[in-house]
Amino acid sequence: MQKRALGRTGLSIAPVVFGGNVFGWTADEATSFALLDAFFDAGYNTIDTADVYSAWVDGHVGGESETIIGKWLKRSGMSRDKAIIVTKVGFDNNGRETGLGKTWIADAVEASLKRLQTDYVDLYLAHKPDEKTPIEETLEAFGTLIKAGKVRAIGCSNYDGSQLQAALDTSAKNSLPRFDVVQPEYNLYTRDRFEGPLADLCISEDIGVISYYALAAGFLTGKYRKPEDTEGVARSYRVGNYLNDKGLKILAALDKIAAETGATPATIAIAWVAARPGITAPIASATSLRQLDSLIAAGKLQLSDQQMALLNAAGA
């Protein structure tokens, strides 16, 4: 599996990242272990999670995903340097504001490391902007973790171009570590949250990009084509947002290319993201080995210029 440089972090990752939000939610522990085994056996090497996954489930407190990943790391016997672990801090948990203050970050990373059963996190992300905490404080806190060897690289999620630029300016002015990775929402349907100023900044500053929602909450798998298809689905509240003329036009383009390539719509949708300017690797989730096959195939699928153009036009 050919790896891609993740910006200036020194990390090299395969072209698809496994989204660990499903671990302990729609994939139980045994299923999660099987998925991770198969993912790494196929040559992939990066898992994305967060300390808040999956606090939205009744009875959960957050950290369930990290706990499962930690158990898998220990059980697998894999050399720690073979797995790139990405986790995040600073997202509100069950109504409790956490933020990106230095005290919370110091406590949160220790809890994440304990759940992950590891001495360090490869990539630690600010999960969302914190308007109440000066960015200097956040970057200083991350710098302390880097110096202590608890974090290898840092980045941010859900920042727009102006917020990222402000953080980069602060890093340069104060000789602080900078955000070297960004995690935006990006897929064939939702493009404006990355394309434009944010993408241009990432390219010019050599910032790695691992985008999330590559499959638009499962819509781009092609399984959901009318409202009744979403009934009883865990993410039905999101999938329904894509059931419109634009969404159906995208599905039609995916169907056409699926007929040409023999690949699934999911594989094509993920491969499109992976081939876009500025993207290092998309994040995608799976809850079964059959779904995982589409993720694995996406890292190997090369779409033609004509196929990319068709998809670009459908999702414009």
Side-chain angles (χ1 to χ4, degrees):
M1 178 65 61
Q2 186 173 1
K3 305 298 193 296
R4 299 177 174 184
L6 185 58
R8 302 181 187 179
T9 64
L11 303 172
S12 295
I13 67 173
V16 179
V17 174
F18 200 112
N21 59 318
V22 297
F23 301 149
W25 174 31
T26 48
D28 61 20
E29 184 174 298
T31 301
S32 300
F33 284 2
L35 292 166
L36 286 167
D37 285 343
F39 188 69
F40 277 77
D41 286 347
Y44 293 85
N45 69 334
T46 308
I47 313 167
D48 174 83
T49 185
D51 61 1
V52 75
Y53 297 165
S54 49
W56 56 85
V57 178
D58 288 344
H60 286 201
V61 296
E64 288 80 11
S65 172
E66 290 180 331
T67 297
I68 286 178
I69 293 168
K71 290 181 178 179
W72 173 78
L73 281 171
K74 184 176 182 180
R75 191 218 62 166
S76 71
M78 179 185 297
S79 175
R80 177 64 183 84
D81 63 356
K82 301 299 182 184
I84 303 296
I85 306 297
V86 182
T87 194
K88 299 181 280 292
V89 60
F91 204 94
D92 297 349
N93 185 333
N94 287 320
R96 182 186 66 192
E97 291 188 11
T98 60
L100 295 170
K102 62 181 180 181
T103 300
W104 174 251
I105 288 174
D107 291 342
V109 76
E110 295 298 336
S112 287
L113 292 173
K114 183 176 181 180
R115 288 188 292 263
L116 290 165
Q117 300 190 50
T118 184
D119 296 327
Y120 66 92
V121 171
D122 296 280
L123 177 61
Y124 204 35
L125 303 181
H127 204 154
K128 67 172 186 173
D130 176 10
E131 304 298 340
K132 298 180 180 180
T133 302
I135 189 63
E136 293 93 336
E137 179 179 338
T138 298
L139 293 170
E140 286 173 359
F142 281 145
T144 298
L145 299 183
I146 293 171
K147 290 178 182 177
K150 296 178 181 180
V151 170
R152 295 179 65 188
I154 61 171
C156 58
S157 180
N158 299 304
Y159 280 52
D160 62 25
S162 62
Q163 290 166 328
L164 177 58
Q165 184 66 68
L168 294 176
D169 292 343
T170 299
S171 296
K173 180 180 178 181
N174 298 281
S175 299
L176 293 169
R178 74 169 204 164
F179 288 145
D180 276 319
V181 178
V182 174
Q183 187 179 107
E185 179 177 353
Y186 187 54
N187 54 57
L188 268 166
Y189 189 100
T190 304
R191 295 168 57 174
D192 59 345
R193 297 180 186 177
F194 177 63
E195 293 180 8
L198 180 57
D200 293 343
L201 180 58
C202 290
I203 292 170
S204 66
E205 291 291 334
D206 192 17
I207 293 172
V209 180
I210 49 174
S211 56
Y212 68 89
Y213 270 132
L215 292 175
F219 173 73
L220 296 175
T221 64
K223 292 187 297 184
Y224 312 107
R225 296 174 185 262
K226 50 188 184 300
E228 50 265 39
D229 292 339
T230 69
E231 294 177 4
V233 176
R235 295 181 180 178
S236 59
Y237 67 99
R238 288 294 305 264
V239 175
N241 295 333
Y242 307 112
L243 283 170
N244 50 41
D245 289 343
K246 177 181 176 180
L248 294 177
K249 184 177 180 181
I250 292 170
L251 291 185
L254 289 170
D255 289 342
K256 182 177 187 300
I257 297 171
E260 295 171 355
T261 62
T264 67
T267 293
I268 297 162
I270 297 168
W272 176 86
V273 177
R276 294 293 290 161
I279 296 290
T280 310
I283 300 167
S285 301
T287 57
S288 68
L289 292 174
R290 182 176 180 181
Q291 290 179 5
L292 184 65
D293 287 341
S294 293
L295 273 67
I296 290 172
K300 304 171 184 177
L301 178 63
Q302 295 292 322
L303 296 170
S304 70
D305 291 344
Q306 292 80 6
Q307 290 165 344
M308 288 293 294
L310 177 63
L311 293 169
N312 291 345

